[in-house]
């Protein structure tokens, strides 16, 4: 028990002193290794093991594809495309924000990239049309979580690895409808507030102008079709699809949209390498930490404690959701997936929950954490882009938090929302 306390308390103590999460995971793991008298080489091997996995190679390439799209201005074209369908509704720019996030998130797989790209285009535009700045930031930040579950999502790849090698294709399909559901739920408070505040509409886009926008944005939207079509048809694996996505994004950004300069390309390389290195090091350090938890039989103890409370599937899922919502407020998404999956997955399996279904629940749940202080990366980026303090924006976020939790509960207790498309693949 003292080893468990050392592992957990040293980790949180290091985080309290602003040591990066990945470094905190490594240091606390080595402290505990020395305390247990295990050879330090065991930790080194555990850190190296996850990197020898071809599926994880998809992550840096999906990150790079998202960076290319961000740099080349594809987000603006997706906003224009979304305006064709929802711009004329009361508060139409907020709806366009939500719909554009569905498309852009489906290509980048990153809520932070989505917030930065869509936000830099739409937050100033919404403010210029008379929308409250805090409301504009809140819509942008919360809608960015759609991309965490709408395929392709590199978080789904991380979960598939942590769960012991689940089908990435089935996970991608499972996230499609829940991702759209998040957007639909967010539209409810967005519309209510827009009507109450009398926010404006934008003129309906018709005829040749609408056709031109559709044709112009179709090149970017086709990225999703290439990735999903290739993976689901078996033409290429998820890893191969990520490479194809990079090549295709590079071609359309350079020769079709002509929005990627030489300096922009080098920025893409720098940002992609930095982000990919951070993610892979995080996976490496979290895997070592999770191995120590398993070695100390923490998952067994947690499972026994939860099942002592109840064996009812719905009660167990509610309890796990509450725990994940709390953890998501204080830790980032990727390490939580890697650390908590080995703990909670055996529990939900015992009560009859499909691992694919639980993966979608986990990603939706932890996505809420990206929008909440104190550790909410999407919220931080949204506040920087929107030029507001976090405490000012948080109040405007509450109606959207309620909508996101509502979407989470729907997916949790109506499994067919997530499992219908994967059942067709099977």
């Amino acid at each position: 028990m003292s080893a468990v306390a050392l592992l957990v308390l040293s980790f949180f103590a290091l985080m309290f002193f602003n040591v990066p999460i990945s470094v905190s995971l490594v240091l606390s793991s080595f402290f505990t290794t020395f305390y247990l008298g295990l050879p330090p080489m065991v930790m080194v091997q555990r850190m190296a093991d996850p990197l020898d996995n071809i599926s994880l190679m998809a992550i840096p390439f999906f990150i790079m594809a998202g960076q290319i799209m961000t740099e080349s201005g594809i987000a603006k074209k997706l906003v224009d495309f979304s305006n064709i369908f929802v711009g004329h509704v009361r508060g139409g720019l907020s709806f366009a924000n939500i719909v554009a996030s569905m498309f852009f998130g489906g290509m980048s797989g990153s809520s932070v990239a989505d917030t930065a790209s869509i936000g830099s285009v739409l937050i100033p535009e919404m403010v210029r049309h008379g929308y409250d700045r805090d409301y504009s930031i809140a819509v942008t930040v919360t809608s960015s979580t759609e991309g965490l579950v709408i395929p392709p999502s590199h978080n789904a790849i991380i979960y598939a690895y942590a769960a012991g090698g689940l089908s990435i294709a089935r996970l991608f399909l499972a996230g499609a409808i829940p991702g759209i559901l998040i957007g639909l739920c967010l539209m409810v408070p967005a519309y209510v507030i827009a009507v109450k505040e009398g926010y404006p509409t934008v003129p309906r886009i018709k005829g040749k102008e609408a056709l031109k926008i559709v044709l112009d944005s179709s090149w970017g939207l086709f990225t999703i079709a290439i990735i999903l079509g290739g993976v689901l048809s078996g033409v290429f694996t998820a890893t191969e699809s990520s490479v194809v996505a990079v090549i295709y994004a590079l071609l359309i950004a350079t020769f079709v949209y002509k929005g990627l300069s030489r300096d922009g390309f080098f920025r893409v390389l720098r940002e992609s390498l930095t982000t990919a290195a951070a993610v892979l090091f995080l996976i490496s350090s979290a895997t070592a930490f999770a191995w120590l938890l398993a070695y100390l039989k923490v998952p067994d103890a947690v499972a026994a404690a939860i099942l002592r409370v109840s064996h009812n599937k719905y009660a167990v899922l509610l309890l796990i959701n509450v725990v994940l919502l709390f953890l998501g407020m204080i830790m980032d998404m990727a390490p939580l997936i890697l650390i908590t999956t080995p703990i909670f997955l055996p529990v939900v399996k015992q009560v009859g929950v499909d691992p694919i279904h639980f993966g979608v629940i986990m990603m939706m749940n932890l996505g809420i954490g990206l929008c909440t202080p104190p550790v909410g990366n999407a919220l931080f980026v949204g506040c920087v882009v929107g030029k507001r303090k976090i405490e000012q924006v948080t109040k405007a976020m509450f109606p959207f938090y309620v909508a996101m939790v509502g979407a989470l509960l729907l997916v949790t207790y109506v499994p067919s929302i997530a499992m219908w498309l994967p059942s067709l693949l099977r």
Side-chain angles (χ1 to χ4, degrees):
M1 193 64 186
S2 55
V4 175
L6 175 62
L7 179 65
V8 175
L9 293 178
S10 62
F11 169 66
F12 282 108
L14 288 164
M15 282 185 58
F16 179 78
F17 288 105
N18 292 322
V19 177
I21 289 178
S22 53
V23 178
S24 299
L25 289 166
V26 171
L27 291 177
S28 59
S29 297
F30 273 100
F31 292 157
T32 309
T33 299
F34 289 128
Y35 175 81
L36 292 170
L38 297 174
M41 188 56 65
V42 171
M43 279 297 100
V44 176
Q45 290 171 340
R46 295 298 169 184
M47 291 180 67
D49 281 349
L51 302 182
D52 186 22
N53 188 315
I54 191 66
S55 296
L56 293 183
M57 284 301 296
I59 294 174
F61 287 107
F62 277 134
I63 289 172
M64 187 173 183
Q67 289 289 345
I68 291 170
M69 293 170 189
T70 301
E71 184 69 33
S72 60
I74 291 177
K76 175 65 169 66
K77 301 181 187 302
L78 295 177
V79 169
D80 294 339
F81 179 78
S82 303
N83 263 328
I84 296 175
F85 303 101
V86 294
H88 60 281
V89 181
R90 174 68 61 186
L93 283 177
S94 59
F95 280 24
N97 195 325
I98 294 168
V99 174
S101 290
M102 289 184 190
F103 292 121
F104 189 82
M107 290 186 284
S108 71
S110 167
S111 63
V112 172
D114 189 328
T115 302
S117 301
I118 301 294
S120 61
V121 174
L122 266 178
I123 291 176
E125 188 71 6
M126 291 174 73
V127 172
R128 189 172 68 83
H129 279 80
Y131 290 76
D132 180 75
R133 185 177 291 274
D134 294 343
Y135 169 87
S136 306
I137 296 171
V139 171
T140 304
V141 170
T142 52
S143 64
S144 71
T145 59
E146 298 161 1
L148 298 172
V149 288
I150 292 177
S153 166
H154 60 258
N155 289 292
I157 298 170
I158 293 174
Y159 173 77
Y161 161 76
L166 295 177
S167 165
I168 294 174
R170 293 190 72 222
L171 266 172
F172 278 1
L173 280 179
I177 295 177
I180 295 171
L181 178 64
I182 294 172
L184 294 175
C185 289
L186 290 174
M187 287 179 181
V188 175
Y191 181 73
V192 171
I193 295 171
V195 171
K196 179 182 176 183
E197 300 294 333
Y199 291 148
T201 62
V202 295
R204 185 186 288 271
I205 303 172
K206 300 180 180 178
K208 291 182 179 179
E209 185 182 359
L211 180 61
K212 182 179 182 299
I213 291 172
V214 170
L215 294 175
D216 198 28
S217 58
S218 62
W219 290 97
L221 292 172
F222 193 60
T223 309
I224 304 173
I226 289 176
I227 295 170
L228 288 183
V231 173
L232 299 178
S233 65
V235 174
F236 39 69
T237 65
T239 304
E240 291 164 346
S241 77
S242 65
V243 179
V244 173
V246 168
I247 295 171
Y248 178 77
L250 194 58
L251 289 174
I252 64 169
T254 305
F255 299 108
V256 178
Y257 295 139
K258 299 179 180 178
L260 187 64
S261 63
R262 184 180 65 177
D263 290 341
F265 177 69
F266 284 116
R267 274 195 300 273
V268 165
L269 289 179
R270 183 173 63 250
E271 292 296 326
S272 300
L273 287 171
T274 303
T275 306
V279 170
L280 292 174
F281 181 59
L282 190 56
I283 290 172
S284 178
S285 55
T287 299
F289 188 90
W291 180 84
L292 266 178
L293 287 174
Y295 179 82
L296 296 169
K297 301 188 185 307
V298 172
D300 296 338
V302 172
I306 291 175
L307 293 175
R308 274 198 299 271
V309 175
S310 175
H311 280 76
N312 181 277
K313 176 169 70 173
Y314 303 109
V316 168
L317 285 173
L318 179 62
L319 182 59
I320 291 175
N321 267 330
V322 170
V323 173
L324 288 176
L325 283 170
F326 171 74
L327 291 175
M329 295 174 65
I330 59 174
M331 282 183 67
D332 205 358
M333 187 170 187
L336 275 176
I337 291 174
L338 290 160
I339 293 169
T340 60
T341 297
I343 295 174
F344 292 131
L345 188 57
V347 180
V348 297
K349 281 182 176 180
Q350 285 191 51
V351 295
V353 178
D354 190 290
I356 298 288
H357 178 211
F358 182 66
V360 177
I361 293 172
M362 176 174 280
M363 287 186 286
M364 290 180 67
N365 193 309
L366 298 181
I368 298 173
L370 294 176
C371 307
T372 55
V375 184
N377 288 341
L379 178 60
F380 293 160
V381 172
C383 290
V384 170
V385 172
K387 298 179 174 63
R388 295 289 275 184
K389 294 181 179 179
I390 291 175
E391 54 268 26
Q392 294 172 306
V393 176
T394 303
K395 184 179 178 181
M397 298 279 289
F398 277 112
F400 299 98
Y401 288 145
V402 172
M404 295 172 76
V405 171
L408 171 63
L409 293 176
L410 278 172
V411 172
T412 299
Y413 294 119
V414 186
S416 57
I417 295 175
M419 298 306 296
W420 179 66
L421 285 179
S423 69
L424 297 181
L425 180 63
R426 179 177 293 175

